[in-house]
Amino acid sequence: MSDTDRALSRRGPARCATALRWDRDQLVTAREGDTVSLALLDAGILETSRSAKYRRPRGAYCLRGDCGTCLVRINGLPNRRACLTAVHEGIRIRPQNRLVAGADPSALVDTMLRGGMDHHHFMVRPRVVNQLMQGVARNLTGLGTLPDRMPDAPAQHRVLEPDVLIVGAGSAGRAAHAVLTDGGCDVVWVDRRDRDGIVAEANAAVSDALLDHTGVFGVYVAEGLWAAMRDTPGQPAVLYSIKPRHVVVATGARDPILAVPNNDRPGVVAARGLLQQLRRSDATLAVPAVVIGEGAYATALADALGVEALPPADVDRIEGNPVDAVSLRDGKGKRECQLVALAPLPAPAYELARQAGAAVRWHGGGFSVQRDQRGRCATTAFTVWAAGDVTGYMGPQSAADDGERVAAAVLHSLR
């Protein structure tokens, strides 16, 4: 595939090339630092799955590990996030929406059911027919089957009892970690993203103390326990049982969807995630693209990507499947493009704090974690503090300042 056919161009320093195998052994060239999602986008492969209910084509959207539309099978393991998985030599990627090996019924479904498969109303009666149809529909959901083989080594289990657990390595989490470690606290710091992605977002080095590839998946208030799993490629998985005195939730904010027609088409991505994916691989856009969003946030992302920003009110619909244009209202024509980057204001990633007992409040763009003036949001077997965008999107610098302020309050409480 020539450079002119690629979805992204490389304009940074020369970096080592590698290859991945996609679907039926299609070779895709990638570069050092690429995630699977970026490599596939770069090769013009936008559709990687189908939606569970209606079999609509899907591709990566948020590119930050939040939405799940990029789930693929990697080296025989199901439900891997392509946007969080770095490419390495010999990696094999397969979509997960196969009914049987080597065949994809999506085209047949598209032909027979023009409106998509609605399994809530399709073939409801008689009951035996509905049961057969439900069995087929479940196999079409693309949620993955069991791994091809058992892990090479069993998962390890470690129990940690730190003064403070920090969840998140965004601006607030990094600032909180610096304050707490300078204050002599015993800190466990985790983030589910890989280090390269975090460094690309921070545009700076990140402390070796960070446990990357480590996601908290459960909060057990009665037991005073936070459960996390570290899943580093090529290493045995590690289950952490963390029993902290204090927890700083700095999980940031995620990118929602803007309400414009056809916003789920392959080739529609989140502008913030796209920019971070490009930066981690020293890449810039080389195809026509537009940002849809309004305000200073969307304008800044459009400027960083080097594309035009369109207000959502001006957009009639996104065209193509995958996308090839954006049609505008009031006779303003259309914008030809190969990528559409949505730039809604990020919504707080509140779920872990809520699970730990924090109250949340709807503010029009999502649920934000409620806290007192010091930053405390819950007190049970541990004291939970909220810092940064999880309390309402405030931007990198303000989030860092907030992380420092909350961490100082935690230090005061410990002393």
Side-chain angles (χ1 to χ4, degrees):
M1 181 176 292
S2 67
D3 289 341
T4 56
D5 293 329
R6 298 170 71 84
L8 305 172
S9 73
R10 303 297 186 223
R11 299 180 186 173
R15 308 182 80 173
C16 296
T18 186
L20 61 84
R21 291 186 178 272
W22 161 252
D23 200 6
R24 300 179 186 178
D25 289 335
Q26 176 184 347
L27 280 175
V28 174
T29 301
R31 296 289 292 273
E32 180 186 4
D34 282 1
T35 63
V36 171
S37 286
L38 184 60
L40 293 178
L41 285 172
D42 201 34
I45 300 171
L46 304 182
E47 180 185 330
T48 56
S49 64
R50 290 271 175 151
S51 66
K53 286 188 178 181
Y54 302 110
R55 301 297 294 161
R56 286 173 65 83
R58 289 286 185 268
Y61 171 66
C62 76
L63 298 169
R64 289 169 51 86
D66 289 322
C67 67
T69 65
C70 69
L71 292 179
V72 290
R73 193 176 189 89
I74 298 180
N75 291 343
L77 297 177
N79 302 320
R80 315 301 288 184
R81 282 185 166 86
C83 67
L84 296 184
T85 303
V87 171
H88 57 82
E89 192 65 41
I91 191 170
R92 301 178 69 92
I93 319 296
R94 293 188 180 275
Q96 295 187 155
N97 60 341
R98 303 300 192 195
L99 180 62
V100 294
D104 184 359
S106 299
L108 180 61
V109 172
D110 291 344
T111 301
M112 297 179 61
L113 305 170
R114 295 293 183 181
M117 179 182 288
D118 179 1
H119 59 256
H120 293 297
H121 302 94
F122 180 61
M123 297 176 65
V124 176
R125 294 182 179 86
R127 183 176 180 182
V128 63
V129 174
N130 180 255
Q131 289 174 335
L132 289 172
M133 187 279 298
Q134 289 284 353
V136 173
R138 290 189 183 100
N139 281 324
L140 288 172
T141 58
L143 296 181
T145 57
L146 292 175
D148 292 347
R149 57 183 176 81
M150 295 296 291
D152 295 331
Q156 303 172 9
H157 178 226
R158 297 176 186 172
V159 178
L160 305 176
E161 298 184 8
D163 294 328
V164 184
L165 166 66
I166 301 175
V167 184
S171 298
R174 294 192 301 272
H177 180 262
V179 171
L180 290 167
T181 52
D182 287 348
C185 292
D186 177 19
V187 178
V188 171
W189 186 24
V190 302
D191 194 293
R192 61 198 174 103
R193 296 172 294 169
D194 70 336
R195 185 172 296 274
D196 287 344
I198 297 167
V199 168
E201 179 187 61
N203 196 27
V206 176
S207 168
D208 291 339
L210 173 69
L211 295 176
D212 63 346
H213 291 287
T214 306
V216 175
F217 62 84
V219 182
Y220 302 90
V221 175
E223 293 81 4
L225 175 69
W226 291 62
M229 178 68 78
R230 190 175 200 193
D231 190 9
T232 307
Q235 300 180 21
V238 181
L239 172 64
Y240 290 100
S241 297
I242 308 173
K243 300 179 179 180
R245 296 169 59 190
H246 296 263
V247 181
V248 176
V249 177
T251 44
R254 58 176 60 97
D255 299 296
I257 295 283
L258 280 175
V260 294
N262 298 328
N263 59 9
D264 62 346
R265 297 287 174 87
V268 177
V269 298
R272 180 171 64 148
L274 176 61
L275 181 60
Q276 290 178 9
Q277 290 277 335
L278 292 169
R279 283 177 172 172
R280 69 177 284 158
S281 291
D282 295 323
T284 55
L285 284 174
V287 296
V290 296
V291 164
I292 300 178
E294 57 188 345
Y297 176 77
T299 300
L301 285 171
D303 289 345
L305 290 168
V307 300
E308 178 185 10
L310 302 173
D314 289 354
V315 176
D316 179 58
R317 66 186 182 278
I318 298 171
E319 296 185 354
N321 196 6
V323 300
D324 55 29
V326 174
S327 293
L328 304 179
R329 301 180 187 275
D330 303 325
K332 295 179 181 178
K334 64 172 61 177
R335 300 291 190 273
E336 305 289 341
C337 58
Q338 294 181 32
L339 284 177
V340 174
L342 303 185
L345 203 64
Y350 67 89
E351 290 82 359
L352 272 180
R354 182 70 184 89
Q355 191 177 351
V360 298
R361 179 180 300 169
W362 176 258
H363 59 73
F367 288 95
S368 59
V369 175
Q370 302 302 292
R371 58 181 181 172
D372 63 20
Q373 292 182 347
R374 300 175 64 200
R376 187 168 43 200
C377 59
T379 302
T380 53
F382 32 69
T383 303
V384 184
W385 309 73
D389 294 337
V390 73
T391 66
Y393 182 73
M394 57 183 69
Q397 185 56 58
S398 294
D401 295 341
D402 192 60
E404 290 182 355
R405 182 184 66 82
V406 172
V410 175
L411 270 178
H412 180 79
S413 181
L414 283 168
R415 290 170 179 170

